[in-house]
Amino acid sequence: MQWHPVLKSLHWLMAVLLLAMLAMGFTMSRLAHAAATTGDYSVTLLGLSIFDAFQLHKSIGVLLFALLVARGVIRFATKAPHHAHLKPIERRAAALVHLGLYCLMLTMPITGWLLASSSPLGIPTIVFGLFSLPHPIHPSTGAEMLFGWLHFLGGCALGALAAMHIAAALKHHFVDRDDVLTSMLPALLRLRERRKP
Ligand code: HEM
């Protein structure tokens, strides 16, 4: 059995965007702190000024939140594939990692939004240059520190869980040779069948 086609598309689109957001978030944050120390704001990230990189990061974060809501609705309205061959311990470990990933996909945009809102710099959040996202809290150094730490730790945890998730998927495909990864990526099934002697 396969995952619902829309869920498959959302899974791969969000996976690419989340990994890009982690790389971008850690890099732009380091660049911005270095710029604040040296006073040289001319540094760029993939041709984007620090200001534009922050706006792009915040915009993709808002998009990821909207995609997560859509994914949650479709996930509960459709049937997930049942992998009967999995041991109870594997099933429990997978459920725990998936729960962690969902929690972090939900909390990362929220802590990022509160972080941007609490910054004493008062920079607006303009989503893809289309509209300004309201900031729900007042600027405060203490709140900025708190949400900065939560956003940073969440990013580290998301990176660690994503690495475990990817390693498990690759083990299922290449070592166990079962249908766990192919239920999310059927193209691999065709490739595997073509390689059969
Ligand atoms: C799933 C969505 C998101 C992911 C995975 C993500 C990830 C990250 C990561 C890993 C960092 C680097 C943290 C550090 O090194 O201290 C970062 C920084 C940042 N993020 Fe996000 N983020 C997301 C959404 C958002 C959203 C929605 C906003 C705002 C609306 C936002 C605002 C920021 C800001 C302002 C920084 C820079 C913090 C600093 O000043 O160093 N993020 N993000």
Side-chain angles (χ1 to χ4, degrees), residues 129-145:
L130 296 174
F131 62 92
S132 175
L133 189 72
H135 282 170
I137 54 171
H138 292 297
S140 125
T141 311
E144 188 194 27
M145 281 261 288

PDB file of all heavy atoms in Angstrom, residues 129-145:
ATOM      1  N   GLY A 129       7.217  39.177   0.195  1.00  0.00           N
ATOM      2  CA  GLY A 129       6.993  40.541  -0.318  1.00  0.00           C
ATOM      3  C   GLY A 129       5.515  40.864  -0.534  1.00  0.00           C
ATOM      4  O   GLY A 129       5.183  41.879  -1.136  1.00  0.00           O
ATOM      5  N   LEU A 130       4.607  39.996  -0.027  1.00  0.00           N
ATOM      6  CA  LEU A 130       3.178  40.151  -0.333  1.00  0.00           C
ATOM      7  C   LEU A 130       2.398  40.844   0.779  1.00  0.00           C
ATOM      8  O   LEU A 130       1.561  41.706   0.521  1.00  0.00           O
ATOM      9  CB  LEU A 130       2.541  38.770  -0.586  1.00  0.00           C
ATOM     10  CG  LEU A 130       3.070  37.996  -1.795  1.00  0.00           C
ATOM     11  CD1 LEU A 130       2.473  36.598  -1.839  1.00  0.00           C
ATOM     12  CD2 LEU A 130       2.728  38.749  -3.075  1.00  0.00           C
ATOM     13  N   PHE A 131       2.634  40.438   2.026  1.00  0.00           N
ATOM     14  CA  PHE A 131       1.903  41.039   3.147  1.00  0.00           C
ATOM     15  C   PHE A 131       2.771  40.988   4.396  1.00  0.00           C
ATOM     16  O   PHE A 131       3.707  40.181   4.474  1.00  0.00           O
ATOM     17  CB  PHE A 131       0.563  40.327   3.401  1.00  0.00           C
ATOM     18  CG  PHE A 131       0.704  38.883   3.790  1.00  0.00           C
ATOM     19  CD1 PHE A 131       0.773  38.493   5.129  1.00  0.00           C
ATOM     20  CD2 PHE A 131       0.773  37.893   2.811  1.00  0.00           C
ATOM     21  CE1 PHE A 131       0.920  37.156   5.468  1.00  0.00           C
ATOM     22  CE2 PHE A 131       0.914  36.551   3.151  1.00  0.00           C
ATOM     23  CZ  PHE A 131       0.984  36.191   4.490  1.00  0.00           C
ATOM     24  N   SER A 132       2.422  41.879   5.337  1.00  0.00           N
ATOM     25  CA  SER A 132       3.197  41.940   6.575  1.00  0.00           C
ATOM     26  C   SER A 132       2.503  41.084   7.635  1.00  0.00           C
ATOM     27  O   SER A 132       1.321  41.288   7.917  1.00  0.00           O
ATOM     28  CB  SER A 132       3.288  43.406   6.999  1.00  0.00           C
ATOM     29  OG  SER A 132       3.923  43.484   8.225  1.00  0.00           O
ATOM     30  N   LEU A 133       3.242  40.119   8.183  1.00  0.00           N
ATOM     31  CA  LEU A 133       2.677  39.241   9.219  1.00  0.00           C
ATOM     32  C   LEU A 133       2.667  40.010  10.544  1.00  0.00           C
ATOM     33  O   LEU A 133       3.719  40.513  10.959  1.00  0.00           O
ATOM     34  CB  LEU A 133       3.560  37.990   9.352  1.00  0.00           C
ATOM     35  CG  LEU A 133       3.037  36.852  10.208  1.00  0.00           C
ATOM     36  CD1 LEU A 133       1.882  36.134   9.513  1.00  0.00           C
ATOM     37  CD2 LEU A 133       4.146  35.861  10.513  1.00  0.00           C
ATOM     38  N   PRO A 134       1.505  40.118  11.217  1.00  0.00           N
ATOM     39  CA  PRO A 134       1.494  40.867  12.485  1.00  0.00           C
ATOM     40  C   PRO A 134       2.426  40.223  13.515  1.00  0.00           C
ATOM     41  O   PRO A 134       2.568  38.993  13.528  1.00  0.00           O
ATOM     42  CB  PRO A 134       0.043  40.772  12.947  1.00  0.00           C
ATOM     43  CG  PRO A 134      -0.720  40.106  11.878  1.00  0.00           C
ATOM     44  CD  PRO A 134       0.212  39.517  10.883  1.00  0.00           C
ATOM     45  N   HIS A 135       3.040  41.040  14.349  1.00  0.00           N
ATOM     46  CA  HIS A 135       3.892  40.524  15.426  1.00  0.00           C
ATOM     47  C   HIS A 135       3.079  40.511  16.719  1.00  0.00           C
ATOM     48  O   HIS A 135       2.616  41.554  17.169  1.00  0.00           O
ATOM     49  CB  HIS A 135       5.148  41.400  15.559  1.00  0.00           C
ATOM     50  CG  HIS A 135       6.163  41.114  14.504  1.00  0.00           C
ATOM     51  ND1 HIS A 135       7.281  41.904  14.296  1.00  0.00           N
ATOM     52  CD2 HIS A 135       6.253  40.111  13.593  1.00  0.00           C
ATOM     53  CE1 HIS A 135       7.997  41.389  13.299  1.00  0.00           C
ATOM     54  NE2 HIS A 135       7.388  40.312  12.854  1.00  0.00           N
ATOM     55  N   PRO A 136       2.844  39.329  17.332  1.00  0.00           N
ATOM     56  CA  PRO A 136       1.902  39.237  18.462  1.00  0.00           C
ATOM     57  C   PRO A 136       2.461  39.722  19.804  1.00  0.00           C
ATOM     58  O   PRO A 136       1.695  39.905  20.736  1.00  0.00           O
ATOM     59  CB  PRO A 136       1.589  37.741  18.530  1.00  0.00           C
ATOM     60  CG  PRO A 136       2.807  37.085  17.987  1.00  0.00           C
ATOM     61  CD  PRO A 136       3.394  38.008  16.980  1.00  0.00           C
ATOM     62  N   ILE A 137       3.790  39.896  19.939  1.00  0.00           N
ATOM     63  CA  ILE A 137       4.321  40.355  21.240  1.00  0.00           C
ATOM     64  C   ILE A 137       5.206  41.575  21.035  1.00  0.00           C
ATOM     65  O   ILE A 137       5.696  41.824  19.933  1.00  0.00           O
ATOM     66  CB  ILE A 137       5.105  39.240  21.985  1.00  0.00           C
ATOM     67  CG1 ILE A 137       6.204  38.652  21.090  1.00  0.00           C
ATOM     68  CG2 ILE A 137       4.198  38.153  22.495  1.00  0.00           C
ATOM     69  CD1 ILE A 137       7.133  37.708  21.826  1.00  0.00           C
ATOM     70  N   HIS A 138       5.416  42.321  22.133  1.00  0.00           N
ATOM     71  CA  HIS A 138       6.221  43.539  22.055  1.00  0.00           C
ATOM     72  C   HIS A 138       7.714  43.197  22.067  1.00  0.00           C
ATOM     73  O   HIS A 138       8.106  42.203  22.684  1.00  0.00           O
ATOM     74  CB  HIS A 138       5.898  44.461  23.234  1.00  0.00           C
ATOM     75  CG  HIS A 138       4.514  45.020  23.145  1.00  0.00           C
ATOM     76  ND1 HIS A 138       4.117  45.838  22.122  1.00  0.00           N
ATOM     77  CD2 HIS A 138       3.420  44.858  23.939  1.00  0.00           C
ATOM     78  CE1 HIS A 138       2.850  46.165  22.290  1.00  0.00           C
ATOM     79  NE2 HIS A 138       2.395  45.569  23.381  1.00  0.00           N
ATOM     80  N   PRO A 139       8.532  44.056  21.431  1.00  0.00           N
ATOM     81  CA  PRO A 139       9.982  43.812  21.470  1.00  0.00           C
ATOM     82  C   PRO A 139      10.507  43.815  22.908  1.00  0.00           C
ATOM     83  O   PRO A 139      10.080  44.638  23.716  1.00  0.00           O
ATOM     84  CB  PRO A 139      10.555  45.000  20.688  1.00  0.00           C
ATOM     85  CG  PRO A 139       9.435  45.496  19.855  1.00  0.00           C
ATOM     86  CD  PRO A 139       8.184  45.224  20.617  1.00  0.00           C
ATOM     87  N   SER A 140      11.374  42.863  23.213  1.00  0.00           N
ATOM     88  CA  SER A 140      12.000  42.793  24.545  1.00  0.00           C
ATOM     89  C   SER A 140      13.245  41.928  24.445  1.00  0.00           C
ATOM     90  O   SER A 140      13.210  40.850  23.824  1.00  0.00           O
ATOM     91  CB  SER A 140      11.003  42.224  25.558  1.00  0.00           C
ATOM     92  OG  SER A 140      11.508  41.118  26.240  1.00  0.00           O
ATOM     93  N   THR A 141      14.342  42.404  25.049  1.00  0.00           N
ATOM     94  CA  THR A 141      15.608  41.656  24.947  1.00  0.00           C
ATOM     95  C   THR A 141      15.491  40.282  25.605  1.00  0.00           C
ATOM     96  O   THR A 141      15.998  39.289  25.081  1.00  0.00           O
ATOM     97  CB  THR A 141      16.742  42.471  25.610  1.00  0.00           C
ATOM     98  OG1 THR A 141      16.668  43.802  25.104  1.00  0.00           O
ATOM     99  CG2 THR A 141      18.104  41.907  25.291  1.00  0.00           C
ATOM    100  N   GLY A 142      14.790  40.221  26.763  1.00  0.00           N
ATOM    101  CA  GLY A 142      14.655  38.949  27.474  1.00  0.00           C
ATOM    102  C   GLY A 142      13.904  37.927  26.632  1.00  0.00           C
ATOM    103  O   GLY A 142      14.337  36.771  26.502  1.00  0.00           O
ATOM    104  N   ALA A 143      12.773  38.361  26.034  1.00  0.00           N
ATOM    105  CA  ALA A 143      11.968  37.438  25.214  1.00  0.00           C
ATOM    106  C   ALA A 143      12.763  37.034  23.966  1.00  0.00           C
ATOM    107  O   ALA A 143      12.726  35.870  23.553  1.00  0.00           O
ATOM    108  CB  ALA A 143      10.658  38.112  24.815  1.00  0.00           C
ATOM    109  N   GLU A 144      13.515  37.964  23.395  1.00  0.00           N
ATOM    110  CA  GLU A 144      14.307  37.636  22.199  1.00  0.00           C
ATOM    111  C   GLU A 144      15.341  36.546  22.530  1.00  0.00           C
ATOM    112  O   GLU A 144      15.539  35.606  21.761  1.00  0.00           O
ATOM    113  CB  GLU A 144      15.017  38.884  21.665  1.00  0.00           C
ATOM    114  CG  GLU A 144      15.678  38.630  20.320  1.00  0.00           C
ATOM    115  CD  GLU A 144      16.670  39.713  19.923  1.00  0.00           C
ATOM    116  OE1 GLU A 144      17.247  40.368  20.814  1.00  0.00           O
ATOM    117  OE2 GLU A 144      16.868  39.881  18.717  1.00  0.00           O
ATOM    118  N   MET A 145      15.965  36.679  23.721  1.00  0.00           N
ATOM    119  CA  MET A 145      16.959  35.668  24.156  1.00  0.00           C
ATOM    120  C   MET A 145      16.287  34.309  24.307  1.00  0.00           C
ATOM    121  O   MET A 145      16.780  33.292  23.827  1.00  0.00           O
ATOM    122  CB  MET A 145      17.537  36.066  25.515  1.00  0.00           C
ATOM    123  CG  MET A 145      18.589  37.134  25.445  1.00  0.00           C
ATOM    124  SD  MET A 145      20.219  36.425  25.531  1.00  0.00           S
ATOM    125  CE  MET A 145      20.300  35.931  27.244  1.00  0.00           C
TER     126      MET A 145
END
